[in-house]
Amino acid sequence: MYDNLPDDPEEAFLYLESVFRAECEQKIRDAHHEERVDIYYVQYISKVLGAISELGIESHFAKRSVPSIEDVDYQTYVNFSKDVEHYRTMLQIRRARRRKEFSVALDQATKIKLRHMLSQMRDIVDRLDVSAIKKEALFAKINALQAEIDRDRARFDIVAALWIEGCEKLGEGAGKLKPLRELLDSIGNVFNQAKKVEGTDTPRLPPVEKPKQIEPPKPTSDDIPF
């Protein structure tokens, strides 16, 4: 559970808190009739406070100390859960707005166009004279973007991941990579245009840059014969 946490602290908290809450509620359901359940309340509160502290989000949540078991009852758990739910709601709204900002809804015609581009890209990658490992890395990013296109909103970071992976291959400088470069550029343009139609004029993806040409040094006065 801890080895595969999301990098984003807020997302990690939402995940961990849901796990801690489910564990607590399951233990309470499984408890015997005369078994003390206040220890499960303490465990939940302690774990949540530990996650808040370690993830560095104390400023977004009232600082609290871990209570002793003697000071915890069902009402303590309810009050703490209420505060956590308030914070979860804030995070979920914030993340939903963030996802909307860095994603775009694609109409059916655009999805068909992008699927066709990805199909062309697969054909190009399949013919590339590169190692199987590099091909698989590109195929993985293409497949990830294919899955993203099928969602209600497609995230720009998935497109960027394909763009970055493609740029690494473009760095090899072979002329036969020109069709791949053009497709990457076209896919980025389609997403940027869709975002403009949605209401923002700020492009989210840069165009694929061509390798820069090194200009010869300009002559100095020492180089000019008299």
Side-chain angles (χ1 to χ4, degrees):
M1 176 176 64
Y2 296 107
D3 291 338
N4 298 301
L5 287 177
D7 293 331
D8 181 77
E10 294 179 353
E11 186 177 347
F13 174 78
L14 290 172
Y15 167 71
L16 287 174
E17 192 280 331
S18 65
V19 172
F20 298 154
R21 183 188 296 269
E23 288 178 346
C24 176
E25 294 176 349
Q26 185 62 49
K27 289 177 179 178
I28 292 173
R29 286 194 296 268
D30 295 341
H32 302 300
H33 178 65
E34 297 181 356
E35 183 179 351
R36 291 184 62 179
V37 297
D38 47 2
I39 187 174
Y40 303 133
Y41 300 147
V42 173
Q43 288 175 349
Y44 166 75
I45 294 173
S46 178
K47 289 180 177 180
V48 170
L49 291 178
I52 289 172
S53 177
E54 184 59 31
L55 292 170
I57 54 178
E58 295 98 331
S59 60
H60 303 292
F61 197 84
K63 290 187 176 181
R64 299 170 184 244
S65 58
V66 179
S68 62
I69 191 170
E70 293 81 7
D71 298 329
V72 173
D73 55 16
Y74 177 70
Q75 193 61 43
T76 308
Y77 170 72
V78 170
N79 288 334
F80 182 82
S81 298
K82 172 180 61 66
D83 292 341
V84 171
E85 194 61 32
H86 173 76
Y87 181 49
R88 283 183 59 89
T89 302
M90 290 174 55
L91 291 185
Q92 289 166 341
I93 293 174
R94 184 185 308 164
R95 292 187 61 76
R97 296 178 69 179
R98 193 181 303 160
R99 283 194 298 270
K100 185 175 182 180
E101 180 182 0
F102 293 101
S103 64
V104 64
L106 303 172
D107 58 33
Q108 195 59 33
T110 303
K111 290 184 177 185
I112 293 173
K113 182 177 181 179
L114 288 169
R115 292 189 190 108
H116 178 65
M117 290 181 179
L118 292 180
S119 177
Q120 291 178 304
M121 185 171 286
R122 288 188 181 94
D123 292 339
I124 294 172
V125 172
D126 192 49
R127 296 194 300 269
L128 285 178
D129 185 18
V130 296
S131 67
I133 294 177
K134 291 182 178 181
K135 285 186 178 183
E136 288 302 319
L138 270 171
F139 282 136
K141 294 297 187 295
I142 293 172
N143 293 337
L145 180 54
Q146 175 75 64
E148 195 68 19
I149 290 171
D150 295 334
R151 297 164 61 95
D152 292 336
R153 296 188 65 84
R155 294 171 293 168
F156 279 84
D157 58 340
I158 305 300
V159 192
L162 174 58
W163 184 82
I164 292 171
E165 194 71 38
C167 283
E168 291 182 359
K169 304 304 173 285
L170 297 178
E172 297 175 7
K176 59 189 174 184
L177 292 176
K178 182 179 178 181
L180 180 60
R181 180 190 299 119
E182 292 174 346
L183 276 172
L184 284 169
D185 204 7
S186 297
I187 289 173
N189 289 336
V190 169
F191 270 79
N192 288 334
Q193 184 60 38
K195 194 64 178 176
K196 289 180 181 179
V197 172
E198 198 171 61
T200 175
D201 293 331
T202 304
R204 297 294 179 184
L205 290 173
V208 179
E209 297 180 355
K210 298 181 180 180
K212 294 181 179 180
Q213 300 292 329
I214 300 177
E215 297 182 359
K218 295 181 179 181
T220 63
S221 57
D222 295 335
D223 299 322
I224 301 175
F226 291 95

